[in-house]
Amino acid sequence: MPDVNVESRPVTPARAEPTRAARLAVPAGIMAAVAGAFAYVGTVDPNQPGHYPVCPLYAVTGLYCPGCGGLRSAHAFVHGDFLGALHDNALATVGYPLFAVLWTVWVLRAARGRPTRLGLGTAHLWALGALLLVFTVVRNLPFGGWLHP
């Protein structure tokens, strides 16, 4: 085996830490997209026919998926009708403030240069899936009529 001279090894340059603006670019882009979507849905009323496509599951089976009523919920939320938003899609309405909290934590951690990993384990993902399944089943049963959009 040939002798390796320490000076002949390639030197990997130290990786520069991204600037604060670079760390905040992705969260800012996500917020811009979400704000744009909410602005559009707040302007173009989903209660008026012809503006948005019909849910394929509802169109074929007559069953409400977990997202059914989400656009109407967002429209009501933007206009300050929180009870209407809850009626249209309770799960989505609860998700809006949850998203705001998670996004704020993300921005604060990114601004401080800390990792922004969301530590969801397998149990968390199963629980989220179970919540979506229960919400979907209950809103399609006769006693879950109050969850219909």
Side-chain angles (χ1 to χ4, degrees):
M1 182 167 192
D3 289 348
V4 177
N5 188 349
V6 174
E7 287 81 24
S8 66
R9 290 187 186 164
V11 176
T12 306
R15 194 170 140 182
E17 284 293 316
T19 63
R20 179 178 286 182
R23 290 191 309 261
L24 293 175
V26 173
I30 297 293
M31 183 50 74
V34 169
F38 267 83
Y40 181 79
V41 171
T43 304
V44 180
D45 189 356
N47 296 304
Q48 301 299 318
H51 294 293
Y52 299 98
V54 176
C55 172
L57 180 70
Y58 183 75
V60 173
T61 65
L63 297 174
Y64 297 109
C65 76
C68 279
L71 290 173
R72 289 186 291 270
S73 172
H75 181 79
F77 196 85
V78 166
H79 289 277
D81 181 10
F82 303 120
L83 288 177
L86 267 172
H87 175 266
D88 289 330
N89 191 318
L91 201 56
T93 304
V94 170
Y96 305 145
L98 181 62
F99 169 80
V101 168
L102 290 174
W103 184 83
T104 303
V105 169
W106 182 16
V107 167
L108 292 174
R109 291 184 68 83
R112 295 177 181 154
R114 299 167 94 189
T116 55
R117 178 168 160 69
L118 183 63
L120 289 179
T122 306
H124 294 106
L125 296 176
W126 277 104
L128 182 61
L131 174 68
L132 287 170
L133 181 64
V134 168
F135 177 71
T136 303
V137 169
V138 168
R139 77 186 320 204
N140 285 293
L141 292 174
F143 65 86
W146 58 279
L147 290 173
H148 291 177

